[in-house]
């Protein structure tokens, strides 16, 4: 599915950001004495100065981490970003899981009441099964509309015939719910990315102001 590629790309970006934190801090780090307390990657509460680039990348990886890095004793803004990210992540997991359950139910309904196995079938066939009571009715409609390129092969694996109109409507309802869930997933991923950008910019500006 397209959204799976999107989430993989997002996770790759987050991992790259996390791995880039030590590099960014190494470029801007100052020389410290041998007995100085080294700042922790997660907190750095003892450091007198904060690395704006490190704060930025932390919040890109985990929203709110940059604010915590800047000031562990007062990072309420970071808590808002972290809470938002957890809520969005929970929404993504729910939508992804619910879409899978609905799809399984849709396949079972088509198999039990229309006699067709839709697994590994194209979306065009899934839509046709929902819009027409049988393969014959579908192909006849395509011929009337002169949509010859949309005709389906009259082979056993493409045959379906709904037992009742109610079962067909049940199938259509399931398919529509899957479509809604899959449309919402990219929006949730976009909000997760936006939350990281806003958190990162705020952490960067906060660190820079603290160093003045």
């Amino acid at each position: 599915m397209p959204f799976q590629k999107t989430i993989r790309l997002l996770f790759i970006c987050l991992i790259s950001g996390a791995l880039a934190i030590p590099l960014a801090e190494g470029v801007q780090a100052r020389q410290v004495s041998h007995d100085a307390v080294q700042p922790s990657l997660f907190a750095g509460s003892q450091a007198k100065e904060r690395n704006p680039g490190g704060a930025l990348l932390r919040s890109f990886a985990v929203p709110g981490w940059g604010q915590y890095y800047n000031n562990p004793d007062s990072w309420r803004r970071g808590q808002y970003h972290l809470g938002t990210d957890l809520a969005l992540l929970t929404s993504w997991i729910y939508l992804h899981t619910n879409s899978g359950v609905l799809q399984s139910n849709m396949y079972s309904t088509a198999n039990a009441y229309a006699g067709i196995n839709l697994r590994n079938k194209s979306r065009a066939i899934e839509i046709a099964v929902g819009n027409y009571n049988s393969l014959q009715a579908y192909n006849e409609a395509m011929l009337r509309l002169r949509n010859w390129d949309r005709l389906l092969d009259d082979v056993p694996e493409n045959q379906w015939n709904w037992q009742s109109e109610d079962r067909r409507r049940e199938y259509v309802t399931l398919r529509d719910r899957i479509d809604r869930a899959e449309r919402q997933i990219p929006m949730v991923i976009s909000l997760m990315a936006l939350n990281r950008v806003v958190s990162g910019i705020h952490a960067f500006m906060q660190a820079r102001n603290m160093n003045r």
Side-chain angles (χ1 to χ4, degrees), residues 183-201:
R183 284 196 301 267
Q184 290 172 345
I185 287 172
M187 181 181 67
V188 171
I189 294 173
S190 298
L191 290 174
M192 290 174 68
L194 178 62
N195 185 43
R196 281 166 166 74
V197 171
V198 174
S199 177
I201 292 174

Side-chain angles (χ1 to χ4, degrees), residues 137-152:
Y138 170 80
N139 279 339
E140 287 176 354
M142 294 303 103
L143 288 172
R144 287 195 302 272
L145 297 171
R146 298 185 179 182
N147 291 329
W148 296 293
D149 58 327
R150 296 186 181 180
L151 290 171
L152 296 175

Side-chain angles (χ1 to χ4, degrees), residues 36-93:
V37 178
Q38 296 296 324
S40 168
L41 178 64
F42 288 90
S45 59
Q46 300 300 321
K48 293 182 180 179
E49 293 191 2
R50 297 295 181 264
N51 184 332
L56 175 72
L57 292 175
R58 280 175 168 81
S59 279
F60 277 176
V62 180
W65 186 10
Q67 285 79 8
Y68 179 79
Y69 161 78
N70 288 334
N71 189 351
D73 297 325
S74 179
W75 62 294
R76 183 173 296 275
R77 171 67 179 265
Q79 292 173 7
Y80 291 147
H81 285 294
L82 180 59
T84 299
D85 191 67
L86 292 175
L88 290 170
L89 180 60
T90 301
S91 298
W92 177 82
I93 293 172

Side-chain angles (χ1 to χ4, degrees), residues 109-181:
T109 299
N111 193 36
Y113 301 109
I116 183 171
N117 182 4
L118 289 176
R119 296 186 186 276
N120 300 320
K121 288 288 197 300
S122 68
R123 178 170 173 78
I125 294 181
E126 290 183 1
I127 294 174
V129 169
N131 292 338
Y132 296 89
N133 285 325
S134 66
L135 174 63
Q136 181 181 359
Y138 170 80
N139 279 339
E140 287 176 354
M142 294 303 103
L143 288 172
R144 287 195 302 272
L145 297 171
R146 298 185 179 182
N147 291 329
W148 296 293
D149 58 327
R150 296 186 181 180
L151 290 171
L152 296 175
D153 294 335
D154 192 355
V155 292
E157 56 267 27
N158 287 345
Q159 292 283 348
W160 78 87
N161 190 13
W162 286 103
Q163 294 180 8
S164 68
E165 187 68 14
D166 289 340
R167 293 301 184 183
R168 187 180 69 81
R169 290 198 189 101
E170 179 184 343
Y171 168 90
V172 172
T173 299
L174 289 169
R175 194 194 69 209
D176 289 344
R177 290 176 64 187
I178 293 170
D179 289 344
R180 282 197 299 272

